[in-house]
Amino acid sequence: MDKVGLVLGIIVVAIIAVFAAINVSYALDLIFFIAFYAIASLSLNLEYGYTGLSNFGKVGFIAVGAYIAGVLSAAFNVPFPLCVLAAAVAAAAVGAFVGIPTVKLREDYLGMATIIIGEMIRILLRNTPTNSVWGGVFGLRGIKPPFAFIKDPLARQFAYVGLSVFLFGLVYWLIERWGNSPLGRVLKAIRDDELAAKSVGKFTYRYKLLSLTLGSAIAGIAGALYAFYFLYLNPDTFIPLITFMIWVMVIIGGMANNAGVVLGTAIVILINRITQIAKDYIKLPLEPNYFQAMLVGLLIILFLMFRPQGLVPEKPVNTPSWEVLEKAEEEGRAKPPGGEEQ
Amino acid sequence: MLKKREVSLLLMMLLLLQSPLYAVSINEIFSKVVPQIPQIFLDTVMLGNLYFLIAIGITLTFTVAKFANFAHGDVATVGAYAAYLLYNFAVIGGVVNGLAVELGYISTIGGLIILSIWYILRRRGYGNTLLALGIPIFLTGLTVLYGCYVGANLVDLIIVAATTSAVTSLLSYLLVYKPLKTRNASLVQLMVASIGVALFIRYALYEMTWYSRTYFNTEIAYQNFGMPMTSYQGWFINGTLVIVNATAALYFMNKIPAIKIGAGGIKLTSLSVEEYYKLPPQPNISFTDLYIWSTITVIVIVLGLMLLFKKTKIGKAWRAVADNPILAAACGIDVESVINLAWLVAGALAGIGGLFWAIRTQIYPELGWMVLLNAFAVAVLGGLGSFWGTFAASYILAFAEQLGVSILAAINPQFTGYRFLIPFSVFLLVLYVKPEGLASIKKRKA
Amino acid sequence: MTDKVIETRKLVAGYGKMVILHGIDFYVLRNEIVTVVGPNGSGKSTLLKAILGIAKVISGNVIYEGRDITNERLDRISRMGVGYVPQTDNVFPNLTVRENLEMGAYTIKDRNEVRKRIEEIFEIFPDLRAREKQMAGNLSGGERQMLAMARALMAKPKVMLLDEPTAALSPKYVDLVLNKIKEIRDSGVTIVLVEQNAKKGLEIADRGYVLVTGRVAYTGPAKEILEHPEIGKLYLGLKK
């Protein structure tokens, strides 16, 4: 990781430590949120950062995971690990369903299809019968806590947050493995130049679909974690704004850089929390929640314009790229007049 | 001649529409839906008009910018809010609102200043962007002042919605998409940026509603537009369609204006109260002014765009830029001016569309966003970037939605909450069966 | 005094970070045909694009009739009287043939003048008249090339830059196109021709440039290049 990333990482950890010193439960909550969003943004990074797929319906896949896990637990008493697994499978199925017709088309279609799927899922959930386990607009209740046997609430929270962080670590490790595997290089090749990737014989359609399906499965896991943390789900929490928060995390952190994305996640969430606290002390003629959403929009634009590589840029692949070859060729002969001061 | 894929498309659509039928007796649904068919057609025209107004803007920007603009819906909301505020708050209790007048003057003078800068710079070949910005700003100011001193009528509202949205749309291009394009941003990055613009505009509007609530004690979110509507009702009696001004029936006790359309031609008459109450209690069709206004607006816009694209030099240049911007520039076409015009026109149409949506339902900051997703379905069904494809798709989708809602209501009135799913399902179906949309069907015939 | 219409001085140009032209000195005199030949990827098309401001000029200058037009906007260069026919995508496929020609005359304000111009063009390219109302996208390759040249002629350019006009054409059309180019020159237009088909291209030319990996390998009268013992064999695939 480069210097900017390191410094920012230290600052983030320091802020969390300060919170922990003041209020342990609050710090645990903060850590859970960072872990939850980090899993979601890592999954988006797999899709967008590594493969260049535009998934604008991430929140829909999270909702699928959350509701499947929630219903299984609330209505059928399915144990926690199975619920998480089912959530991943269900979200992956939705991802494949959207991906099959769209990943071979231009990026616009996938963008529009995913955003519509995300909203469709929310509307469907809103319109489920209120007297069923799904709960409609009243929300889903009765999810069984996974660590019910621990009596002390703080310890229980600690155990669950610990589990979430462990799962986050697992996801991180997996995506990092993928990123550095031959598959990861193929995905990056697809992102940078589809034509070239096709011409060297990699079947891009299948890899894109795979990437979208895996990304959706991971989003489903994040959803399940969310469900078992709050033990209550409401369709109106899964609004498109969540998707774009996740996009901001990836864009700020740095495309195709997992550590950067996690850092971006932590920064966005800390800014969110700190403004929530600050609004009690500073009176502005603004509504802080709306203002934050405006800021999300502004950050997306500014980062794309002035630092498209994010705070922590992508690590170069360990194979000679065109630039290296070019340089070698350049050194082999006389420098052209004028040079390349661009 | 239908190809296999098209047949399968039609079959799947039929299956989709029928799938809920298996729950209830088909006959029962039939008997409930069939009498509503005239009404369904009327509602289709109305809803199709509104879809068209939003979707055509997406299509138009797509022709020159080549990416799906996710901020289009929110641009429409801006125009709708401008019109709403002008209509309801330009004159409060008979007193002209000082703030509105100030805004009107600032905008008029600002527009004039921009235009004069353009006039000075025009010789050097610069500043066409200033011209594109100056005119709508100036017009906005004039219409606001007109609304304050003379009174806002529908035409005035349409202009103010169109110009404010046009300015918003052009500014979003100049400040965001254009710099990104010069930095070689990818398609996905442009889309994400447009989402950023969308969020910024939407929550700025939310912020405005909050401000109004907190400092002026005025609620401006989730409000009815408040425009008085005349409603009309129609009956089929012995092969003659009798349309009655139902609003008038409440006021004029003895002469209710009516139109009789039948074999004998169209006749303007009036009905007495007795005659009115002799009509069956349930009219066969009912509609409001909005149906008429939106239809007229769409006709004017379609004719205007046709003239623009087929007859005028700048319209042909627009098509040329859509086809091949480099070759267009090699012809001496000022590509930037054409692109500016495209964003202006798209924004203006969005504003008009947003205004009609707001009149039809309510005004709230999320209005445009909710409509946008439907408009995407329309644009994709029409084949991205095709004018007539978008036109046809607007009404096809509207029909599917209206028919679907009637069927859902016949099964169980609670199911109408799923109406949003109908255009979305059609959208997904199109992606699966015919991602090129309607435009490809037309092309093969040509 | 020789009258240079277009001149480039030590032109270094490329796309983004990629440098393709490494210091090209090039000029065209009034009313001559200059053909630029060279193997694939030698930067022939890029030379035209750099003159027109499509490719990025990194250093050096492009001079047109004594004015520096380096990195000027394409539409302004075109308004000065430089016509350009790209190699691919050289017509507007969704516009009719007539509309394509109208676009060529975009800079002419007078509608009657445009109508007269179109009639004149139909005299030169009689094949196009029959297709007046058709979409340009439905034309055959040869007809498209004709339309592309006709479109560029509409604005009465002083210079025309043609990028491989004979590529992917049937032999019948190759000769037709090259004859038209000669006719256009005879009507007083200066021509810069980039050609893959070196022999045919040089046969109609007054002078020629041989470009190899972004540098001028040889320049001189076209005949000299054609008859040069080594150039033809080394770079152009010409057989003795």
Side-chain angles (χ1 to χ4, degrees), chain A residues 236-267:
Chain A
D236 288 332
T237 46
F238 298 102
I239 52 172
L241 185 62
I242 306 284
T243 304
F244 304 124
M245 293 273 284
I246 297 169
W247 270 91
V248 171
M249 293 165 184
V250 173
I251 289 171
I252 288 184
M255 191 163 95
N257 185 317
N258 294 322
V261 166
V262 174
L263 184 68
T265 308
I267 289 172

Side-chain angles (χ1 to χ4, degrees), chain B residues 46-296:
Chain B
M46 152 82 170
L47 187 63
N49 290 339
L50 298 196
Y51 278 159
F52 175 75
L53 286 172
I54 302 286
I56 192 64
I58 296 173
T59 299
L60 290 181
T61 39
F62 192 86
T63 56
V64 293
K66 307 288 181 213
F67 73 94
N69 180 12
F70 284 74
H72 191 73
D74 298 284
V75 167
T77 324
V78 172
Y81 254 108
Y84 169 76
L85 294 178
L86 182 66
Y87 185 73
N88 289 289
F89 300 104
V91 180
I92 303 172
V95 183
V96 175
N97 186 343
L99 188 65
V101 173
E102 262 173 48
L103 280 174
Y105 277 118
I106 290 172
S107 171
T108 314
I109 295 166
L112 278 178
I113 292 171
I114 293 173
L115 284 176
S116 46
I117 297 173
W118 163 77
Y119 193 79
I120 296 162
L121 291 178
R122 123 204 93 106
R123 288 260 167 258
R124 282 187 232 158
Y126 292 102
N128 283 327
T129 305
L130 291 175
L131 178 68
L133 260 180
I135 290 175
I137 291 178
F138 177 66
L139 273 178
T140 311
L142 281 191
T143 41
V144 168
L145 290 178
Y146 182 91
C148 288
Y149 290 120
V150 186
N153 53 24
L154 187 69
V155 177
D156 195 44
L157 292 183
I158 287 180
I159 296 174
V160 84
T163 50
T164 38
S165 283
V167 172
T168 316
S169 168
L170 181 62
L171 281 180
S172 73
Y173 166 68
L174 293 174
L175 297 177
V176 181
Y177 313 127
K178 193 176 168 183
L180 277 174
K181 275 211 164 152
T182 52
R183 281 160 219 255
N184 288 323
S186 71
L187 191 63
V188 180
Q189 284 175 327
L190 282 170
M191 278 197 288
V192 177
S194 79
I195 288 170
V197 173
L199 287 178
F200 186 80
I201 294 176
R202 193 179 326 146
Y203 285 94
L205 289 174
Y206 266 120
E207 201 72 76
M208 182 180 80
T209 63
W210 176 85
Y211 200 82
S212 154
R213 199 177 304 134
T214 318
Y215 293 93
F216 296 110
N217 267 324
T218 315
E219 181 58 55
I220 57 169
Y222 301 97
Q223 296 296 303
N224 287 319
F225 202 91
M227 188 174 271
M229 289 282 163
T230 315
S231 66
Y232 303 89
Q233 294 176 329
W235 284 268
F236 293 104
I237 301 166
N238 305 326
T240 318
L241 173 63
V242 185
I243 297 172
V244 179
N245 183 334
T247 308
L250 298 173
Y251 296 105
F252 313 124
M253 295 314 278
N254 258 327
K255 266 190 164 181
I256 301 158
I259 304 171
K260 285 184 177 173
I261 303 167
I266 300 170
K267 215 165 56 183
L268 282 170
T269 57
S270 58
L271 298 180
S272 68
V273 180
E274 289 79 32
E275 280 175 300
Y276 179 70
Y277 283 108
K278 257 185 241 162
L279 291 165
Q282 276 296 321
N284 295 103
I285 51 171
S286 62
F287 58 95
T288 61
D289 281 343
L290 191 61
Y291 287 57
I292 302 168
W293 297 336
S294 65
T295 308
I296 294 171

Side-chain angles (χ1 to χ4, degrees), chain A residues 280-296:
Chain A
D280 293 338
Y281 300 98
I282 307 160
K283 283 273 171 273
L284 287 172
L286 289 165
E287 215 288 317
N289 287 324
Y290 298 152
F291 185 65
Q292 250 181 38
M294 282 169 74
L295 215 59
V296 167

Side-chain angles (χ1 to χ4, degrees), chain A residues 19 36-37 43 57 62 72 108 116 118 121-122 159 161 190 192 197 200 215 226 244 258 260 264 271 288 292 321 339:
Chain A
F19 276 126
F36 162 70
Y37 271 108
S43 78
I62 295 174
L72 285 179
D108 313 46
I116 282 180
I121 289 165
R122 187 168 72 89
V161 171
I190 291 170
D192 290 341
V200 295
Y226 183 90
F244 304 124
N258 294 322
I271 290 175
Q292 250 181 38
S321 69

Side-chain angles (χ1 to χ4, degrees), chain A residues 97 106 108 119 127 287, chain B residues 66 187 207 210 373 418 432:
Chain A
F97 172 73
R106 264 169 52 113
D108 313 46
E119 278 294 90
N127 282 287
E287 215 288 317
Chain B
K66 307 288 181 213
L187 191 63
E207 201 72 76
W210 176 85
L373 298 182
Y418 291 117
Y432 262 93

Side-chain angles (χ1 to χ4, degrees), chain C residues 127-146:
Chain C
D127 293 1
L128 293 179
R129 192 195 291 274
R131 308 226 175 258
E132 193 183 330
K133 295 253 152 58
Q134 271 189 25
M135 289 291 166
N138 298 338
L139 298 181
S140 74
E143 286 166 339
R144 244 185 237 218
Q145 196 58 52
M146 293 293 180

